[in-house]
Amino acid sequence: MSRPRPDRRSLLLAAGAAATAPGLAASAPAIHARRRRPVMVGSANALPGMQEQLPRMVDGLEPLDAAIEVVKVVEADPNDMSVGLGGLPDEDGVVTLDAACMHGPTHNAGSVGAIQGTLHPSEVARLVMERTDHCMLVGEGASRFAREYGHPEVDLLTPRAREVWLRWKEGMSERDDRLQPAKPKKSGQLYRYMGEELTLEQLLTTHRITGTIHCSALSLEGELACCTTTSGLSFKIPGRIGDSPVIGAGLYCDQEAGSAGGTGRGESAILSCASFLCVELMRGGMAPKDAGMTVLRRVTEQAQRGAAWQPELVREDGLPAFNLQLYLLSPGGEVAGVELYGTHAFAVADEDGARHEQLDALHG
Ligand code: ASP
């Protein structure tokens, strides 16, 4: 049974009714003061999509439409190896995707995990939200659901992603029968990963490859929504689902408190309920940056405790051996982007246009 989303008039009526009912006002959808411009925040690779969608938001595009349109640009880009088409596969060479979206005014969400052969998992996540009574579909069921709703089966493993996967397999073990090329070809070819251009060697050696796109959006009307989509951890164990489709981990949105999402080590975002915690801290009155830093401190403590059984979770200096980025947006339009380490960028779009800014790093 399809349930149409409430229109803006019903939401306003609901807000008004709740405001007059004692004890209910706190749970009513808050419609915040109109801003001169809408606001979006997200991972660095969201910039091209934000540039396209900002003018449409100024013309009244709803934030869920905007957030999904922003991430779809990267889902469909065969040259970005962190999301959708061209994303790096699991250890068997199969590309599986995770995505979720959340809508502030109705506090509803949908997600798909380990979906295969689907170009736009973000749209399928929205179908789960709007056309089912469920929040999450995974694996074969999610793929079949996508086909039912007209998402054609596509081969997501591009020749470039297959090449990187094979090089990873060849370099994996000294005890199997695969050999690395005697003279690795230096083609000078660059591989786009999370907005950065890397050589194959950098891609395979600098870090365990992760990558995702997140976008949180606040409309002119003060409505919040968000979306996160990814091919997940490269060369993961088949069946692994990261934080991106987990509501409260890879994204969360509450009309009264704010919106947040993450990229980086998904397990750390799941274990800390990172996005939910960001939003709840904003609900408590924290500024987005303070909320994000508080969550990263929690993630650091949890990694240090986890190192008791998994020593590789921390570096020699006792700090996390992985990175996590968080993007936060308050209902009033204040944004922040924070990370454990580094000088990476995040994307912001507001009255000053769409641009990259530097994330604030907790550990420098
Ligand atoms: N968070 C994603 C995951 O763990 C990967 C990433 O953002 O880099 O699946």
Side-chain angles (χ1 to χ4, degrees):
M1 184 180 66
S2 101
R3 283 161 299 148
R5 282 192 356 201
D7 60 18
R8 170 141 189 85
R9 185 179 139 74
S10 354
L11 285 170
L12 286 167
L13 287 174
T20 55
L24 285 183
S27 62
I31 304 299
H32 292 271
R34 287 175 76 97
R35 295 173 48 86
R36 262 192 320 123
R37 289 263 177 164
V39 182
M40 285 180 276
V41 65
S43 45
N45 49 357
L47 185 63
M50 285 184 183
Q51 283 164 337
E52 281 175 18
Q53 297 310 317
L54 185 61
R56 298 185 66 206
M57 285 197 82
V58 170
D59 287 343
L61 182 69
E62 295 210 0
L64 185 63
D65 295 324
I68 290 177
E69 288 304 319
V70 165
V71 305
K72 276 173 61 182
V73 173
V74 180
E75 283 181 338
D77 181 353
N79 293 319
D80 186 296
M81 310 196 87
S82 61
V83 176
L85 179 65
L88 291 172
D90 67 15
E91 65 180 23
D92 290 343
V94 178
V95 180
T96 62
L97 306 177
D98 297 338
C101 64
M102 191 154 187
H103 181 239
T106 53
H107 201 73
N108 201 1
S111 81
V112 288
I115 191 171
Q116 292 185 27
T118 304
L119 186 61
H120 289 304
S122 58
E123 287 187 329
V124 185
R126 183 180 191 156
L127 284 168
V128 173
M129 179 177 97
E130 293 184 340
R131 308 294 282 272
T132 80
D133 189 32
H134 306 320
C135 284
M136 191 171 201
L137 292 179
V138 302
E140 172 59 24
S143 307
R144 280 213 317 263
F145 177 80
R147 299 303 157 260
E148 282 168 12
Y149 280 87
H151 285 258
E153 182 152 7
V154 286
D155 183 3
L156 297 172
L157 186 66
T158 59
R160 281 156 70 89
R162 180 181 285 110
E163 181 191 358
V164 177
W165 168 66
L166 284 171
R167 287 292 304 277
W168 170 79
K169 271 174 91 83
E170 290 163 355
M172 266 299 288
S173 165
E174 289 160 2
R175 282 167 297 163
D176 67 19
D177 297 327
R178 288 183 193 268
L179 302 176
Q180 299 198 53
K183 280 198 184 146
K185 83 172 165 199
K186 285 222 162 61
S187 63
Q189 196 173 25
L190 294 176
Y191 297 78
R192 190 162 353 121
Y193 205 86
M194 289 290 288
E196 290 183 64
E197 299 285 341
L198 304 176
T199 63
L200 183 56
E201 285 63 37
Q202 285 171 324
L203 197 57
L204 289 169
T205 56
T206 47
H207 40 65
R208 182 69 194 270
I209 308 162
T210 56
T212 295
I213 178 167
H214 169 80
C215 178
S216 281
L218 173 71
S219 71
L220 277 175
E221 309 286 349
E223 295 183 353
L224 285 165
C226 57
C227 185
T228 303
T229 177
T230 188
S231 50
L233 187 64
S234 55
F235 321 130
K236 58 198 171 190
I237 296 175
R240 180 261 189 190
I241 285 178
D243 58 319
S244 306
V246 179
I247 309 303
L251 82 174
Y252 191 71
C253 165
D254 182 299
Q255 185 54 41
E256 294 180 20
S259 183
T263 58
R265 181 175 159 80
E267 283 70 12
S268 71
I270 293 173
L271 291 170
S272 60
C273 299
S275 295
F276 175 75
L277 192 51
C278 284
V279 170
E280 286 306 300
L281 291 171
M282 288 193 282
R283 186 197 303 282
M286 265 193 198
K289 181 177 163 189
D290 295 337
M293 288 296 191
T294 302
V295 176
L296 291 181
R297 272 190 286 276
R298 175 82 57 90
V299 167
T300 300
E301 290 158 15
Q302 290 173 345
Q304 288 163 344
R305 269 184 276 145
W309 57 269
Q310 198 182 350
E312 59 273 18
L313 276 181
V314 295
R315 314 185 305 196
E316 274 181 10
D317 62 5
L319 293 175
F322 56 83
N323 211 348
L324 180 69
Q325 293 87 20
L326 299 170
Y327 315 97
L328 299 92
L329 173 59
S330 78
E334 201 187 341
V335 301
V338 299
E339 64 179 340
L340 285 168
Y341 305 101
T343 53
H344 299 105
F346 71 115
V348 181
D350 58 16
E351 52 265 48
D352 297 324
R355 63 195 178 276
H356 276 151
E357 289 192 3
Q358 192 177 316
L359 292 156
D360 286 299
L362 177 64
H363 300 303

